[in-house]
Amino acid sequence: MSRDENKLLIDVKDLRVSFDTYAGEVQAVRGVSFYVNKGEALAIVGESGCGKSVTAQSTMQLIPMPPGRIKEGSVMFNGKDLTKFTDKQMESVRGSEISMIFQDPMTSLNPTMKVGKQIMEGLIKHQKMSKQDAKQKAIEMLDVVGIPNPEKRVEQYPHEFSGGMRQRAMIAIALACNPKLLIADEPTTALDVTIQAQILDLMKDLQKDFDTAIILITHDLGVVADMAQRIVVMYAGVVIESGTLDEIFYDGQHPYTWGLLKSVPRLDTQGKQKLYPIEGTPPDLFSPPKGCPFAARCEYAMPICREEMPEKTHLSKDHFVKCWLQHEMAPDVENPIKKGRE
Amino acid sequence: MARYIVKRIIYMIISLWIIATVTFFLMHQLPGDPFSDGKKVQPEILKNLEAKYGLDKPLIVQYGTFLKNVAKGDFGLSLKYRNRTVNDMIYDGFPKSLTLGVAAVGIGLVFGLAFGIIAALNNKGFFDYFVIIMAVIGVSVPNFVFASIFQYFLGRQWALFPVAGWKGPKYMILPIIALGVRLIAQQARMMKTNMIEVMGSDYVKTAKAKGLSKTAVVRKHVIRNSILPIVTMLGPLIAGIVTGSFVIEKIFAIPGMGKFFVDAVNQYDYTLILGTTLFYAALLIFMVFLVDILYGFIDPRIRIDE
């Protein structure tokens, strides 16, 4: 699904977010742009500390401010700029228009409040429901997310739920008010593999039923393949490549994207082929490099890469990449992803 | 629940018995005796006195009598306060110390928690620094310093309250404040730290992501979880403070229980040592038990199941 002004739900433009610490300014997000259409699923991928979560939480103004601050950029949601919203205005957006689920279901629910009540809170606030109605709806939501005995479960506390069930409860909280956008911040990272698959299936089903757009934040491309229509690859606070699922998986152009794809374990590899790691660590965001942030770890790096950040190169309507290898004077590099598949 | 309570009561009795036994034998190991007081006493008189209080019998026999009497709730005659039983002395002194203690804990909790909450909501703001500085002073300055300052200014210079004595509610105010300062400071610091920690937790982020207002998040999600650690230490704290403060009661000339703890040991008043120790121990153990039961009502994770 490519950009379509009529279907556009959220349009983030040149978002810059910094955290002021005693040691200096951490530039966590350095000019990120992406959009999501209604009902679409977008994945933001990248390794830990590359600004995925901060980007997502900034759209809802959920980063702690201070020390965090949105320096520049706009987050247009249904035609309104969320970065200009006051706290009160944001409250009416959070939970009702945009919801969020977090990485660790073990710590994301209040341990001293009944699960049902935690679902009811949003309903009472946004839909002005009475307690009885909200409770009925909470039971219904627990049922929708596949928790057996919802009438009993609604009266229980989080510690009586397993990890997978807690994440289901989180999804119930997030979807209770029928939001237009669900931001899932590493929703399966803390769960074991079989539960991961269940939660992803559930999210996929509910996305259809509720017609909700999803921003899926993950470092696991295996999770993405199943769910997202488009992918944004982030590195060190910038978007370095973006495209549809197929464009990224089969025709990714950035060496970092190749690295991510090669580091996914596959069933069809031959014998003793080792898993491919990306050597090194991301740059320090106190003083981001002036050139391409990936240059220090890139096996194809050229002198120009360290000097200047490459511009966007558009390869198709949806697909762009920021890499000097796209320059006409750059040497031809064989795409290892394509090669691996042939 | 009933089974749990019965089990706990049995443990409590065993603990008390151990405390009583250890105190009894340690106490008799002390060099010196209750009657000589450093002076020479005629051997005949000493013998008579020892016979009167049963101290001439072998230690193990004394121990047996002591246990038998304690089981009946009788701590015996004081060796130093003529013709007064230890039970009487506790009965006289404890209500005064209790009144002071409960009031001090009360203002400590009300003001301490309130200051802690405001400081946390105003993190790194003016009021926060103000509260923290006050709390550090309140915790580090000994309470007899505050007591003297209050006596001097509020009692003498401005003559708002009586300086010392125990003749009615007016007399209680200064000692309560003097006792309460430290409690307010402790609770404020603790509450602030807990609140900051809880406000950074994932579930508070979830609550915010639901669109709850800042006040609703604090009221429904932050405060309850921040109070939990405070409830834990409330048991020993209350037991300590309601049994009286030696220093504060001395300064304000309050005939409470506090002085018995110190005087009894100095004067080798065996029965009073055992009486006060056991009374304090029983109260402490009971408060801890009470807090454990209460805790279950506040924190569902440790609710005691059948």
Side-chain angles (χ1 to χ4, degrees), chain B residues 108-130:
Chain B
L109 282 179
V110 170
F111 289 101
L113 295 188
F115 287 153
I117 291 169
I118 300 170
L121 295 180
N122 186 13
N123 194 20
K124 300 211 164 79
F126 170 76
F127 193 81
D128 177 32
Y129 286 115
F130 176 75

Side-chain angles (χ1 to χ4, degrees), chain A residues 22 57 60 62 88 91 94-95 102 107-113 118 121-122 125-126 157 159 170 173, chain B residues 124 201-203 205-214 220-221 224-225 228 298-301 303:
Chain A
Y22 288 115
Q57 292 185 14
M60 284 175 85
L62 273 182
K88 266 268 154 314
E91 278 164 24
R94 293 185 196 131
F102 300 97
T107 57
S108 297
L109 291 164
N110 182 347
T112 58
M113 191 187 270
Q118 299 192 45
E121 277 185 323
K125 161 103 189 180
H126 297 299
Y157 288 92
H159 70 276
M170 279 298 293
I173 292 174
Chain B
K124 300 211 164 79
S201 68
D202 287 348
Y203 57 83
K205 196 167 255 179
T206 307
K208 279 188 201 148
K210 268 181 235 175
L212 299 186
S213 66
K214 199 175 170 190
K220 293 185 178 153
H221 294 270
R224 185 183 179 134
N225 287 295
L228 288 177
I298 315 177
D299 191 344
R301 282 166 296 183
R303 202 154 285 174

Side-chain angles (χ1 to χ4, degrees), chain B residues 96-116:
Chain B
K96 302 180 180 99
S97 300
L98 181 70
T99 314
L100 287 186
V102 167
V105 170
I107 63 164
L109 282 179
V110 170
F111 289 101
L113 295 188
F115 287 153

Side-chain angles (χ1 to χ4, degrees), chain B residues 276-302:
Chain B
T276 49
T277 308
L278 278 181
F279 182 76
Y280 175 71
L283 195 68
L284 178 69
I285 292 173
F286 181 72
M287 287 311 297
V288 170
F289 165 69
L290 205 64
V291 164
D292 283 353
I293 299 284
L294 273 179
Y295 213 96
F297 287 98
I298 315 177
D299 191 344
R301 282 166 296 183
I302 42 175

